[in-house]
Amino acid sequence: MGSKNFAVGCDMGATKIISCVVDSDGKVGYECRFPTEAARGTKKVGENLISAIKETLSNCKDKNISGIGIGTPGQINFETGEVLGSAPNIPGWTGVNVKELIASEFDYPCVVDNDVNAAIWGEFLYGAGKGCKDIVGITLGTGIGGAVIVDGKLYRGSKFCGGELGHISLKYDGIPCRCGGIGCFEEYCSSRGIKRMAISKLKSKKRSLLVSMVEGDLKKITSELVTQAYHKGDEIAKAVIRETGRLTGYALSIIINILNPEKIIIGGGIATIGDFLFNAIRDGAKERSLPVPYSQVSIVPAKLGVMAGAIGAGSLILKGAQ
Amino acid sequence: MGSKNFAVGCDMGATKIISCVVDSDGKVGYECRFPTEAARGTKKVGENLISAIKETLSNCKDKNISGIGIGTPGQINFETGEVLGSAPNIPGWTGVNVKELIASEFDYPCVVDNDVNAAIWGEFLYGAGKGCKDIVGITLGTGIGGAVIVDGKLYRGSKFCGGELGHISLKYDGIPCRCGGIGCFEEYCSSRGIKRMAISKLKSKKRSLLVSMVEGDLKKITSELVTQAYHKGDEIAKAVIRETGRLTGYALSIIINILNPEKIIIGGGIATIGDFLFNAIRDGAKERSLPVPYSQVSIVPAKLGVMAGAIGAGSLILKGAQ
């Protein structure tokens, strides 16, 4: 039993860093959470990451640790560990070399990858993607992340920037996105898209539980409140979620026509709304995909929950840094 | 010298079948062209294909022929040779097993692939994609075709339906496409997109060479006439081509954000317009792509011209049916 391999896996989120020890069956041992404190600057973020890893290592001294895997927002040079760009949730993170940061503190091999790549790697090995070869992962939350596995390998693109599925443009003359593009999927179907759509719908029809939930101040609407109102049967909230699902399906139809995946796995906070959302997503995807590739794909919820990223990051060490 | 290998390569187009013999350096020997005669039914199309191959074989009896490679429109099951769907240029072609058709007449190994896959395979081996690993090919013509090479292999998707780049939706509430989708790239930037855009622009501003070219009957406008008018300096034609290029660039930005290719190779009749079109395409792609993956891609014209498909189809036999 002493021969079992373990790794530390860290998932860096906008608000918290999840660190854990994971074994080669994907089982999580010790885990801890540290705040990211992105607003306090990248030095502090780095310190928090190191603290999380130290705490994890000090709690698994009896284990044979093979290395440290880290999933972080942004486009990551998987070979060097450098953050190449686009990590709006951690300002200043672009240009940081996470691998060097870890090497300066720890004497373990380290791999660094995009956080959604790490999460889908976890789902591929132990979750909703188990047994598949060609899958796409989407996270619906504050932002929309994406990752692609082709023939059992993470697809990183020619220079590590593939899979930016949140920035598929749904409408070339649509809403400007903070990435500089126009009409991006993320602007329509992330938390801020849901908020925007709810406010827009409420402007024309004021009778909704949502209005009383925010005491008439529509600016206070959040995607969480929309979800709560939906669960209480509110019609406007229901319409917002249906429309969000349908638009998500439209974005997936683009992915289906290009990549012809066997499975699309959807995680993130918004995905927890459940069947009503997933059915709307499937309807949208069916409506807009080419019939043959649509008939070959299943669109399913992620299985590993909030631990997917940390499990996947650790598993990049244990199960091939592919 | 007698040890050199050769293959027959056929490219099935909407109007003609190009058949040739190609060697393992991509050099074309004998070539011939037969009409497709799609309107006369799939039996006739099959007969024409067989005639083209017979004619080619009878003209290279001295050569060591390794097999027959065929590129055909549609989504093709590369393993069985069956046309799975979506070949509007050859009505009824869906369901036909091209490999069995060839096997019934010839005693050579045969591979069948999508026509754009074949063409990009040719460009990858001997043309604009030589030396690259991750490329995307687009053909701008009557329709818009696409193909993807990942890590030096043709990406066919989990079930052979990947790379349908013409059916990327540019605008979810845009123009209905004959595929059943809405706002497809093909509806905006193929020959019919150019025609539609030219007519629309002429309705608001009638002073254009195009009007006299069609003697006032705008329905007679074609993308070829728009190209001719552009070369003669017509401002409306120039605006149509610039806009077509920009919209093509928008579609490419979706591909760039998802696939992060090192090169995008554009062929097809419309691509022969040249630099003015390509600069507009690059402007559109730059405007809408994420900066890092945009900085890593070059957008270039195809090099092999009309022979790309036949060369690539033959090369699927000679250089790995990947």
Side-chain angles (χ1 to χ4, degrees), chain A residues 1-299:
Chain A
M1 293 304 188
S3 69
K4 202 161 198 174
N5 278 329
F6 296 85
V8 174
C10 298
D11 181 30
M12 302 183 65
T15 56
K16 63 180 178 295
I17 296 165
I18 300 179
S19 178
C20 73
V21 62
V22 60
D23 70 18
S24 45
D25 295 321
K27 293 272 177 301
V28 172
Y30 179 79
E31 80 175 81
C32 62
R33 294 174 192 214
F34 275 66
T36 309
E37 297 185 294
R40 293 182 66 187
T42 55
K43 189 161 174 285
K44 186 66 190 168
V45 172
E47 286 167 11
N48 287 335
L49 175 63
I50 287 166
S51 300
I53 296 169
K54 278 188 178 159
E55 169 116 353
T56 308
L57 285 169
S58 71
N59 280 280
C60 50
K61 283 181 179 154
D62 57 326
K63 293 188 169 70
N64 178 23
I65 301 287
S66 303
I68 300 165
I70 294 169
T72 171
Q75 295 144 22
I76 313 301
N77 182 324
F78 181 73
E79 282 168 10
T80 66
E82 192 191 349
V83 181
L84 298 175
S86 201
N89 291 332
I90 307 182
W93 202 231
T94 298
V96 170
N97 190 311
V98 183
K99 208 166 181 169
E100 285 176 6
L101 179 74
I102 299 302
S104 71
E105 287 285 336
F106 304 101
D107 199 19
Y108 287 104
C110 174
V111 296
V112 184
D113 208 335
N114 171 271
D115 54 348
V116 187
N117 276 4
I120 194 69
W121 191 241
E123 292 287 344
F124 167 72
L125 291 171
Y126 308 114
K130 214 172 155 176
C132 296
K133 283 173 66 182
D134 296 291
I135 62 179
V136 169
I138 299 271
T139 51
L140 300 176
T142 313
I144 294 183
V148 178
I149 288 179
V150 169
D151 201 19
K153 292 182 189 172
L154 270 167
Y155 179 73
R156 296 195 176 85
S158 67
K159 301 271 177 58
F160 313 108
C161 297
E164 286 288 348
L165 308 181
H167 300 286
I168 290 173
S169 173
L170 285 178
K171 195 174 173 182
Y172 71 76
D173 56 356
I175 303 167
C177 178
R178 58 188 185 180
C179 80
I182 302 284
C184 290
F185 175 26
E186 179 167 296
E187 283 303 323
Y188 291 92
C189 303
S190 65
S191 308
R192 64 182 182 280
I194 289 178
K195 175 180 179 156
R196 183 187 291 118
M197 198 194 295
I199 291 174
S200 158
K201 283 193 193 293
L202 286 169
K203 279 183 179 161
S204 58
K205 192 182 171 192
K206 294 259 180 190
R207 285 186 65 164
S208 164
L209 204 57
L210 277 166
V211 178
S212 53
M213 285 168 97
V214 296
E215 295 167 335
D217 184 358
L218 300 188
K219 287 199 297 293
K220 288 185 181 158
I221 286 175
T222 62
S223 64
E224 290 78 10
L225 289 178
V226 173
T227 304
Q228 285 174 28
Y230 156 72
H231 284 302
K232 288 177 183 163
D234 183 70
E235 285 299 323
I236 295 278
K238 204 170 162 181
V240 169
I241 288 167
R242 191 190 299 115
E243 181 78 356
T244 300
R246 216 178 59 186
L247 290 173
T248 299
Y250 292 175
L252 297 191
S253 74
I254 293 176
I255 295 166
I256 289 167
N257 288 351
I258 298 181
L259 292 174
N260 180 213
E262 56 188 309
K263 205 171 259 189
I264 298 177
I265 298 168
I266 306 181
I270 295 167
T272 60
I273 292 169
D275 282 351
F276 182 73
L277 175 73
F278 273 82
N279 287 333
I281 292 173
R282 291 181 193 112
D283 288 347
K286 184 176 184 179
E287 195 187 315
R288 296 295 171 89
S289 305
L290 293 171
V292 180
Y294 180 76
S295 73
Q296 298 166 338
V297 71
S298 53
I299 299 171

Side-chain angles (χ1 to χ4, degrees), chain B residues 127-138:
Chain B
K130 213 172 156 178
C132 297
K133 283 173 66 183
D134 296 292
I135 63 179
V136 169
I138 299 271

Side-chain angles (χ1 to χ4, degrees), chain A residues 306-321:
Chain A
V306 291
M307 292 306 290
I311 292 171
S315 302
L316 283 169
I317 290 285
L318 298 169
K319 300 270 179 176

